[in-house]
Amino acid sequence: MTHYDFDLFVIGAGSGGVRAARIAATHGARVGVAEEYRYGGTCVIRGCVPKKLLVYASRFHDEFEDAAGFGWSVGPASFDWARLIANKDKEIGRLEGIYKTNLEKAGVATFKTRAVLEGPHSVKLEAEGRTVTADKILIATGGWPTLAEGAHIEGLEHAITSNEAFHLKEQPRRIVIYGGGYIALEFAGIFAGLGSEVSVVYRGERVLRGFDEDIRVALSEEYARRGINLLTGRTISRLEKTAGGIDVALSDGTIVACDAAMFATGRAPNVQGLGLEKAGVEIGKDGGIKVDRQSRTSAPDIYAVGDVTHRFNLTPVAIREGHAFADSVFGKQAWHTSYDMIPTAVFSTPEIGTVGLTEAQARDPAWIAAHHPTLAGLGGEIDIYKAQFRPMKGTLSGRAERMLMKLVVDQRSGRVLGCHILGPDAGEIVQMAAIAMRMGATKADFDATMALHPSAAEELVTMRTKWTPPAS
Ligand code: NDP
C-alpha cells in the first residue's frame, strides 16, 4: 500500500477547510492544514463577522434618534472609528485563536504557509521549502474581491475593496461605493449609519439584481430616504487623486468627490498559482473549480469546497460542503449538500432576509426546472401575499421606515415557494421560515400557525388577502 504523510491535506483554513479538517480528524484521519494568512478565512477575518460588528455599530445612530420618542434624552453622541476598529480587531484575533486551537485539539497538524499542488497527491509547503504527500487533498482557498473585471478604469490603484475598508485609519467623510450587490449595500448602510456621506454607483437600473423586485424597490426607497445617493445606470470611468481626496468620474460625465472609493463588484475564486494543472484539476467557465455533487474535482483524489468552487458563496454552504466531504470520504457516511431553500440576508439597514423563489422566478416553470429540480412542476400559476407597514416601534419614535413582507405561493399545491422580508430582524425571521419551507409548508400551514403578538413576524401567518395588481 502506498504510504502518504497524511490521509488528508487541506489547503486553506477558512470556514469550509476548517470544518472538513476537524470532522475528518474526528473520523480518525491524519490531517494537515496549510493557511498562508490567518485562520478563519474570509468570513472570520474580513467578511461576515467584522462586517456584522460594523453593522451593529452603525445601527446605534437610529437607536439614539428613536430613543427620544420613548422619553429618553440622549446627550450629544459622538463616534470614534479608531476605537471601533481596534475593538473589532481584538475580537477577530480572539476568534482566529479559537479556530486554530480547535484544529489542534482535534489533532490536525497546522502549517503557516502558502501551499500549492505539485501533483495529484503532493503539496508543496512554500514557507517550509518541502513537499508533503496525502491520500486525499481538499482545496478550500475561497475567493478574492475583483475590481470591475473587464472594464477599463483609469486610476484603479486608488480604489479599495472591502478588505481594506475594515482597516481604514480614518473614517471616510465621503465614500463612493461601486456595485449593487451584497457587499456594496451592506457597506453603504454601515458608512451612512456612522455618519459618512455615501454614494452608490451601480451599472443597472436597480440595485440587488436577482432579488425579488418588491424588495429591490423598497430598499432603494429606504436608502434614498436615509440620504444615500443611489447613482444607477452609470459606471465609473476614472479615479483621480486630488489634494482633498479622490474624484470619481462617471460614465455620464458627473464627478463625485470623495475620501474613499470602494469597489464591491464581485469576488472571484482563488485559483491562481495553485498548481491545479499539475494535478489535473479543471476550472469551469465561471472561474471556479469544477466539482460534482460530492465536491470531487476532475482529479479523483482531489476535492474542493466553498467559494473556490463558485457555487453559492456563503459561509454556511462552505461549512456544509466541508462536513459532507469529510463524512463521506472518511466517515463511511456518504451524503451531499442540499442547495434547496438556502436562506440569506443582506445586512443593509433596513435588513433583507430572503428564502426561496422570487415572484419572477416562481412565474417561470422552465426556470424552476432548470435551477431547482426539486421544485419542478411547481410555479407558473402563483398567488402573492404582501404586507407593508410601519413597525410598532415607529409609532413613538416617529421613524417613517416601513417593513415589507411577501410570500410567493404555488396556486395548485398551496406550497410557499418564496419568503422575502425587508425590515428589522429580517434575517432572524427568515431563518425560521426556511425550516418550514424546506419541509414543504403550505400557505394553509402558515395560516394555521398561531400568531405571536405583538411582533412583526406575525404578519407571515396573518396575511389573508391575495395581492392583486392595481388596476391600470
Ligand atoms: P455580488 O455579486 O453580490 O454583487 C456584485 C455587484 O457588482 C453587482 O451589482 C454587479 O452588477 C456589479 N458588478 C460586477 N461586475 C462589474 C463590473 N465589471 N463593472 C461594474 N459593476 C460590476 O458581489 P459582492 O462583491 O457584493 O459579494 C460577493 C458574494 O459574497 C455575494 O454574491 C455573496 O454570495 C457573498 N456575500 C454574502 C453576504 C451575506 O450573506 N450577507 C455578504 C457579502 C457577500 P450586476 O448586478 O449588474 O451584475
Side-chain angles (χ1 to χ4, degrees), residues 294 324 327-329 331-336:
Q294 301 291 345
D327 275 352
S328 304
V329 175
K332 299 190 176 67
Q333 314 153 28
W335 60 282
H336 63 268

Side-chain angles (χ1 to χ4, degrees), residues 205-378:
E205 287 310 316
R206 192 167 284 140
V207 294
L208 287 177
R209 186 168 62 83
F211 282 73
D212 189 88
E213 202 57 27
D214 283 317
I215 294 286
R216 300 172 72 188
V217 170
L219 185 77
S220 302
E221 286 172 1
E222 294 301 349
Y223 264 23
R225 196 204 299 269
R226 283 172 176 265
I228 294 173
N229 193 14
L230 291 177
L231 301 166
T232 55
R234 275 164 271 204
T235 54
I236 291 181
S237 47
R238 184 165 37 88
L239 302 176
E240 200 176 314
K241 195 112 185 101
T242 62
I246 298 169
D247 275 354
V248 179
L250 307 186
S251 50
D252 64 353
T254 321
I255 307 273
V256 187
C258 64
D259 305 300
M262 175 180 150
F263 278 43
T265 49
R267 295 174 60 88
N270 261 334
V271 291
Q272 251 104 35
L274 266 184
L276 299 181
E277 56 301 329
K278 286 190 193 160
V281 175
E282 287 173 22
I283 292 178
K285 279 204 277 304
D286 59 0
I289 292 179
K290 262 206 248 174
V291 284
D292 65 12
R293 210 162 72 144
Q294 301 291 345
S295 297
R296 189 193 305 261
T297 69
S298 49
D301 291 315
I302 302 183
Y303 294 73
V305 296
D307 289 5
V308 76
T309 64
H310 223 32
R311 288 178 277 186
F312 295 88
N313 297 338
L314 297 167
T315 297
V317 172
I319 291 173
R320 211 39 91 80
E321 289 169 352
H323 201 135
F325 153 78
D327 275 352
S328 304
V329 175
F330 296 100
K332 299 190 176 67
Q333 314 153 28
W335 60 282
H336 63 268
T337 304
S338 157
Y339 300 102
D340 282 343
M341 297 290 173
I342 299 175
T344 112
V346 181
F347 291 101
S348 46
T349 302
E351 182 169 309
I352 294 170
T354 174
V355 57
L357 307 184
T358 66
E359 179 178 342
Q361 290 165 350
R363 288 195 189 283
D364 184 353
W367 187 92
I368 297 175
H371 295 89
H372 288 276
T374 55
L375 299 178
L378 300 173

